[in-house]
Amino acid sequence: MEQTALNEDNRISKKASFLVCIILASVGGFLEAFTYLLKGGVFCNAQTGNFALLAIFFINKQYEQAAYYILPILAYMVGISCTIYIPKWLSKLSILHWETMFIVCEILILFVLAFLPNTFPNGVTNVPISFICAMQYNTFRKSNGIPLATTFCTNNLRQAVIHFCTGIEQKNKESKIKSLYYISVILFFVIGAAIGTFLIHALEQKSILFCCFILLPVFIILFLSDIKNKNNF
């Protein structure tokens, strides 16, 4: 599956592509804080921590707690699978790109989760968040020709350091710009987590509506682009 590049063939401008990228990174940071602080210390954006915790609890013979981490891992796998098959199916049925349809789905899922009773098991929230984080990660993997992740920071940090060192050593302006791009994505991920922490203390479950709100500009940008492309066609 080819990496998504939002501004390929002038679909959207470079500035719009960057805006989409940092908004998605902010959502990623928010959701990481949300599931960790409010939903049982689970990381739904990426599964490295969940695999480690699964092993730790299993070896300590805490099998019920270990099983708790299997659900978000499975949901993540299903989410990745959906990004492979659903876009091919949708391309035959809709004028809208998969990225646009996904943002609609993400907003709707997060909106529903905001109104779930607190008495529901944490897994009822963690599973769909793992699902949409997997789809977001595998749908938006490139911006302005730069491969990146919007739901976690590890590889972004690696790339930022590599390009910074290359830029300094080789006096390469393009590498320095790429380093700043990665740093910006990380910064907005952190900002999203910080905002999430503040809102979670104030609003608890309904704090997730913040993500719905900031995703609306992303939907508008992508939707208008799809309509424009249809008219040009």
Side-chain angles (χ1 to χ4, degrees):
M1 181 179 175
E2 294 183 358
Q3 288 185 327
T4 299
L6 289 176
N7 58 322
E8 281 184 355
D9 301 322
N10 297 318
R11 182 185 171 195
I12 65 175
S13 68
K14 290 185 177 182
K15 290 182 179 179
S17 180
F18 179 69
L19 178 61
V20 168
C21 177
I22 60 175
I23 289 176
L24 292 174
S26 300
V27 170
F30 186 102
L31 294 177
E32 193 81 311
F34 184 85
T35 58
Y36 183 80
L37 294 175
L38 204 59
K39 299 299 172 182
V42 172
F43 296 107
C44 291
N45 293 31
Q47 300 303 310
T48 304
N50 290 335
F51 275 111
L53 291 168
L54 170 65
I56 290 168
F57 284 113
F58 183 82
I59 293 301
N60 288 334
K61 298 183 179 180
Q62 297 173 271
Y63 301 120
E64 183 176 349
Q65 188 66 24
Y68 178 70
Y69 292 93
I70 294 176
L71 287 177
I73 292 171
L74 291 176
Y76 201 88
M77 293 169 63
V78 173
I80 295 294
S81 300
C82 286
T83 62
I84 296 173
Y85 296 107
I86 293 179
K88 297 177 183 177
W89 177 66
L90 279 179
S91 65
K92 302 175 183 178
L93 301 175
S94 175
I95 63 169
L96 299 179
H97 282 77
W98 158 245
E99 297 96 321
T100 310
M101 298 295 291
F102 165 69
I103 292 299
V104 174
C105 293
E106 183 167 12
I107 291 172
L108 291 176
I109 291 172
L110 294 177
F111 183 83
V112 171
L113 292 179
F115 295 96
L116 290 181
N118 292 330
T119 54
F120 277 29
N122 290 336
V124 176
T125 298
N126 291 339
V127 167
I129 288 181
S130 290
F131 179 72
I132 61 176
C133 283
M135 289 200 292
Q136 179 177 309
Y137 166 54
N138 210 42
T139 299
F140 298 93
R141 294 186 294 167
K142 208 173 193 182
S143 177
N144 292 321
I146 302 174
L148 49 79
T150 60
T151 57
F152 54 88
C153 294
T154 304
N155 190 56
N156 292 339
L157 181 60
R158 169 180 169 269
Q159 293 291 347
V161 174
I162 289 173
H163 285 293
F164 176 79
C165 293
T166 301
I168 296 299
E169 181 181 2
Q170 300 179 4
K171 297 181 180 180
N172 188 317
K173 183 179 179 180
E174 183 178 352
S175 290
K176 293 178 183 178
I177 292 173
K178 287 183 178 180
S179 179
L180 289 174
Y181 207 98
Y182 283 111
I183 291 171
S184 298
V185 175
I186 294 170
L187 175 62
F188 277 91
F189 184 95
V190 173
I191 290 173
I195 292 173
T197 302
F198 175 77
L199 292 179
I200 287 163
H201 290 315
L203 302 173
E204 296 188 348
Q205 187 86 4
K206 288 184 174 59
S207 64
I208 206 169
L209 290 172
F210 169 79
C211 295
C212 300
F213 177 74
I214 66 172
L215 282 170
L216 287 175
V218 175
F219 167 72
I220 292 170
I221 289 170
L222 298 180
F223 178 77
L224 292 178
S225 170
D226 290 346
I227 298 301
K228 179 181 176 182
N229 289 340
K230 178 197 174 187
N231 292 336
N232 290 340
F233 183 80

